[in-house]
């Protein structure tokens, strides 16, 4: 049996929260949304630390790169800014997209930052000199989410045209188009061992693909509405999904069986609106969630021994 306890409901945002990212420094995480700034929180003390930096438009994406001491901030305007933790300021800003930036990730061994946008393009920026290295078209519609495989050889893109596209990280060439969802794909995530790719869509389906040939292993009617995020536990064989249906679900990553539902319908004081992003805190083991209800929630999840 998995036991769940909400240990904090952190207030401070005045509007919906769309982005969440653990810092490279344990015990710190960031959130942002339709507010005027990016917020820094303590996961140990469960409290507000400060507004890290102001922003000029809604923030849809945050990414703390492992290969550089920066937090990348993707905005509705299409701008991406880099906040340097050592200098405690924005050290670079880019306008490589003309429409909202929905996700940011990085390929650490190449020290490259990837941004995806509503314009269907992906921009690649070098983290050493902040120059635009490459820009390529992935989809005729929005690229909503991106995930890099554990060995950093593959990149999966979740696209609004119902496809998941797989690219080679060496030369950014298209390797495979995966057609399985009946509605836009809204989230993708590789399993920690790299053998599976998970995708979630507006069709509320969670699909598990075999990365050896990208054949479909399993399709699960996981939620009632769109699946906005998928996050694997950093140490244990579980993962969590977040949905527009106001629920978080905990799954066994070996059997893909549902283990726990966190929602108001289950008698748990959960979010009252769409849940947009999740994050596992490595310092405390807590699961963190953010929502359209403006609240950051922190969960203590006790797994089976």
């Amino acid at each position: 049996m998995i036991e769940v306890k909400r240990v904090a409901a952190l207030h401070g945002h005045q509007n919906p929260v769309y982005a969440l990212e653990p810092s490279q420094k344990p015990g710190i995480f960031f959130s942002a949304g339709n507010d005027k700034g990016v917020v820094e929180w303590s996961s140990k003390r469960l409290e507000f630390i400060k507004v890290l930096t102001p922003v000029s438009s809604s923030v849809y994406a945050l990414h703390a790169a492992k290969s550089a001491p920066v937090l990348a901030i993707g905005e509705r305007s299409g701008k991406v800014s880099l906040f340097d933790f050592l200098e405690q300021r924005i050290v670079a800003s880019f306008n490589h997209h003309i429409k909202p930036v929905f996700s940011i990730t990085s390929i650490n061994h190449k020290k490259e930052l990837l941004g995806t946008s509503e314009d269907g393009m992906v921009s690649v920026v070098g983290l050493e000199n902040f120059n635009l290295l490459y820009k390529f078209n992935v989809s005729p519609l929005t690229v909503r989410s991106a995930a890099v495989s554990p060995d950093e050889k593959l990149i999966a893109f979740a696209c609004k045209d119902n496809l998941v596209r797989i690219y080679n990280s060496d030369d950014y060439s298209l390797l495979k188009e995966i057609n399985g969802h009946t509605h836009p794909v809204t989230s993708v995530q590789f399993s920690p061992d790299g053998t599976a790719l998970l995708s979630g869509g507006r069709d509320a389906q969670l699909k598990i693909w075999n990365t050896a040939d990208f054949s479909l292993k399993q399709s699960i009617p996981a939620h009632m509405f769109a699946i906005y995020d998928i996050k694997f536990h950093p140490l244990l064989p579980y993962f969590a999904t977040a949905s527009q249906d106001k629920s978080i679900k905990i799954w066994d990553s070996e059997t893909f069986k549902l283990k726990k539902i966190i929602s108001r319908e289950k008698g748990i004081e959960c979010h009252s609106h769409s849940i947009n992003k999740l994050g596992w805190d490595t310092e405390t083991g807590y699961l963190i969630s953010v929502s359209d209800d403006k609240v950051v929630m922190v969960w203590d999840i006790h797994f089976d021994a």
Side-chain angles (χ1 to χ4, degrees), residues 146-161:
V148 178
S149 62
D151 62 7
E152 296 196 327
K153 292 182 178 179
L154 303 174
I155 315 159
F157 295 108
C159 303
K160 192 177 180 179
D161 60 2

Side-chain angles (χ1 to χ4, degrees), residues 59 107 187 193 212 257 281:
V59 174
I107 300 174
S187 53
D193 64 5
K257 299 293 185 183
D281 182 69

Side-chain angles (χ1 to χ4, degrees), residues 30 37-40 48-54 62 71 73 83-85 88-90:
F30 308 100
V38 177
V39 179
E40 180 176 348
F48 169 86
I49 297 176
K50 64 182 178 183
V51 175
L52 187 73
T53 185
L62 294 172
L71 179 71
I73 304 161
F83 182 89
D84 189 297
F85 293 117
Q88 284 292 297
R89 66 181 182 91
I90 298 290

Side-chain angles (χ1 to χ4, degrees), residues 133-151:
L133 303 176
Y134 197 39
K135 191 175 178 181
F136 57 101
N137 182 257
V138 168
S139 172
L141 300 173
T142 302
V143 182
R144 183 61 184 258
S145 177
V148 178
S149 62
D151 62 7

Side-chain angles (χ1 to χ4, degrees), residues 19 32-33 38 55 57-63 71-82 100-104 116:
V38 177
V55 291
S57 64
S58 297
V59 174
Y60 293 151
L62 294 172
H63 178 67
L71 179 71
I73 304 161
E75 297 187 35
R76 185 172 184 262
S77 65
K79 181 170 77 172
V80 174
S81 301
L82 297 182
V101 173
F102 279 114
S103 75
I104 303 173
T116 81

Side-chain angles (χ1 to χ4, degrees), residues 73-189:
I73 304 161
E75 297 187 35
R76 185 172 184 262
S77 65
K79 181 170 77 172
V80 174
S81 301
L82 297 182
F83 182 89
D84 189 297
F85 293 117
L86 302 179
E87 298 188 28
Q88 284 292 297
R89 66 181 182 91
I90 298 290
V91 292
S93 291
F94 326 113
N95 290 283
H96 302 316
H97 297 279
I98 58 173
K99 292 185 177 180
V101 173
F102 279 114
S103 75
I104 303 173
T105 189
S106 56
I107 300 174
N108 297 309
H109 78 274
K110 297 175 74 178
K111 293 189 176 180
E112 293 178 357
L113 190 77
L114 281 67
T116 81
S117 171
E118 189 178 313
D119 60 17
M121 304 292 292
V122 171
S123 57
V124 183
V125 170
L127 282 170
E128 292 182 313
N129 53 24
F130 307 142
N131 288 340
L132 178 66
L133 303 176
Y134 197 39
K135 191 175 178 181
F136 57 101
N137 182 257
V138 168
S139 172
L141 300 173
T142 302
V143 182
R144 183 61 184 258
S145 177
V148 178
S149 62
D151 62 7
E152 296 196 327
K153 292 182 178 179
L154 303 174
I155 315 159
F157 295 108
C159 303
K160 192 177 180 179
D161 60 2
N162 306 356
L163 298 180
V164 177
R165 290 179 170 88
I166 309 298
Y167 277 71
N168 185 324
S169 69
D170 287 336
D171 58 4
Y172 299 112
S173 59
L174 177 64
L175 296 177
K176 184 83 172 178
E177 289 187 341
I178 307 174
N179 189 351
H181 288 277
T182 59
H183 290 73
V185 188
T186 45
S187 53
V188 282
Q189 194 67 246

